[in-house]
Amino acid sequence: MNPEFTHAAVIGAGTIGLSWTALFAGHGLTVRVSDPRPDLAEAVAAALAEFTPHLAARGLDVAGLAGRVHLAGSVAEAVRDADVVQENGPESVEFKKDLFATLVAEAPARALLLSSSSAIPATAFTGELADASRVLIGHPFNPPHLIPLVEVVPGERTGEDAVRAAMDFYRFLGRVPVLERKEMPGFVGNRLQNALNREAIYLVEQGVVTPEELDAVMTNSLGIRWSTVGPFLGSHLGGGPGGYRHMAEHIGGSMKKLWDGLGHPAQGPEETERLIEAVEKAYGSSTYSELAGTRDRKQLAVLSALDSARPEED
């Protein structure tokens, strides 16, 4: 264990917060969880039971996992001895303003104050804080105990020491932190995801493919490619020995025409309802637990395959 990180607080025990809880405990941290939900104990127990095999499959020691997780009766109790606080509350500026004022006042002065915010930059809710130097975004992708990426996004008042500590913390957890140098609504991952989703919705609206067929296109082409090399390296390799330069010079013009012709889905109430019905027709015969379980087994298989393909020096 990294001696700098021994105690963590998880504020908000929804899907993301519960996943963080399991990951933190899986790396030996003592974790205090705070959430006003009346079924907190049951939710934490169920999540740990579900996620423990995932952590074990990733090589973590899960012996005594549940014993490292404690329920807190308040935010103040949860953060009282925390080295790191991971907030997972609603996407609301006002909510985060109030909560982070409490975190600054109640957490130890050494504690990193991290938000899982998926769209709201830190500067939007830290302007009135007495001390915003240790507040920044640590945005994961769901579920964070499996998906390695964490987007680390400092606010205008975040100190450099806090940025370095956040990067170290997520690396300690086996994540892949990426430092983003400008605050953008939605950060990087969700902007890319929403750009692709917009075109996916448009293609379904236009009757080109069904939702299930669109997913088949992604999982049997770009999903495989991008999980291994990403868009830029994929294009660089797509240019052959001439690389990205050859790709840009030879098909850049036609790609520009495609960009100009990308769709703008209507997404009014009627269109939205038709899309919902189409997705439910494709996947509604399975429960959430069944679909999520299949997703997680496949993601674990991908992660294991990627691990086996990495050069030894990595």
Side-chain angles (χ1 to χ4, degrees):
M1 179 185 296
N2 187 323
E4 294 181 20
F5 310 117
T6 61
H7 291 73
V10 173
I11 310 301
T15 301
I16 300 298
L18 291 170
S19 182
W20 277 130
T21 297
L23 182 67
F24 293 170
H27 282 270
L29 297 174
T30 298
V31 188
R32 296 188 187 277
V33 185
S34 171
D35 191 295
R37 60 187 297 175
D39 65 338
L40 180 60
E42 293 82 1
V44 169
L48 293 179
E50 179 182 354
F51 299 152
T52 293
H54 301 168
L55 299 174
R58 298 302 295 151
L60 297 181
D61 182 1
V62 295
L65 187 75
R68 295 192 286 275
V69 178
H70 308 276
L71 307 185
S74 65
V75 170
E77 180 186 344
V79 305
R80 68 187 182 198
D81 54 3
D83 303 303
V84 179
V85 179
Q86 187 82 42
E87 174 267 329
N88 314 279
E91 285 289 296
S92 162
V93 170
E94 292 306 315
F95 175 88
K96 293 184 189 300
K97 280 182 179 179
D98 292 341
L99 177 58
F100 274 85
T102 299
L103 296 180
V104 168
E106 300 291 345
R110 69 179 184 278
L112 272 175
L113 306 179
L114 301 160
S115 174
S116 295
S117 169
S118 59
I120 302 172
T123 298
F125 58 85
T126 56
E128 299 173 10
L129 293 181
D131 176 16
S133 65
R134 52 203 174 105
V135 179
L136 66 165
I137 303 298
H139 172 238
F141 269 59
N142 184 35
H145 73 280
L146 289 183
I147 303 299
L149 177 70
V150 183
E151 297 180 281
V152 175
V153 192
E156 291 178 359
R157 299 173 60 200
T158 305
E160 292 184 5
D161 288 347
V163 174
R164 283 192 292 269
M167 298 290 285
D168 288 345
F169 175 61
Y170 290 124
R171 290 190 186 108
F172 161 66
L173 296 174
R175 304 303 86 189
V176 178
V178 173
L179 176 61
E180 297 175 11
R181 295 164 184 81
K182 291 185 179 181
E183 291 182 299
M184 299 282 283
F187 314 122
V188 172
N190 275 336
R191 292 177 74 91
L192 292 172
Q193 182 171 238
N194 278 280
L196 192 148
N197 282 343
R198 187 182 78 170
E199 185 64 16
I201 291 169
Y202 177 75
L203 292 169
V204 171
E205 273 189 0
Q206 295 299 305
V208 178
V209 286
T210 66
E212 194 170 18
E213 290 164 343
L214 190 289
D215 285 349
V217 169
M218 282 298 303
T219 55
N220 289 281
S221 62
L222 295 177
I224 297 171
R225 178 183 294 169
W226 288 350
S227 71
T228 56
V229 295
F232 280 116
L233 180 52
S235 295
H236 185 58
L237 294 171
Y244 195 87
R245 180 178 298 279
H246 177 82
M247 175 75 76
E249 290 175 348
H250 283 76
I251 68 169
S254 60
M255 292 303 296
K256 176 64 165 59
K257 291 179 182 178
L258 278 177
W259 295 342
D260 294 341
L262 290 176
H264 297 275
Q267 282 296 279
E270 293 182 6
E271 291 83 3
T272 299
E273 182 59 31
R274 282 198 294 270
L275 182 64
I276 292 170
E277 290 175 358
V279 173
E280 289 176 342
K281 181 180 179 181
Y283 299 115
S285 61
S286 299
T287 67
Y288 170 81
S289 294
E290 290 169 341
L291 292 171
T294 299
R295 175 202 65 191
D296 292 342
R297 286 192 297 274
K298 289 181 177 180
Q299 289 180 159
L300 279 166
V302 170
L303 290 168
S304 296
L306 290 173
D307 285 345
S308 68
R310 287 193 175 96
E312 291 185 5
E313 59 268 23
D314 284 0

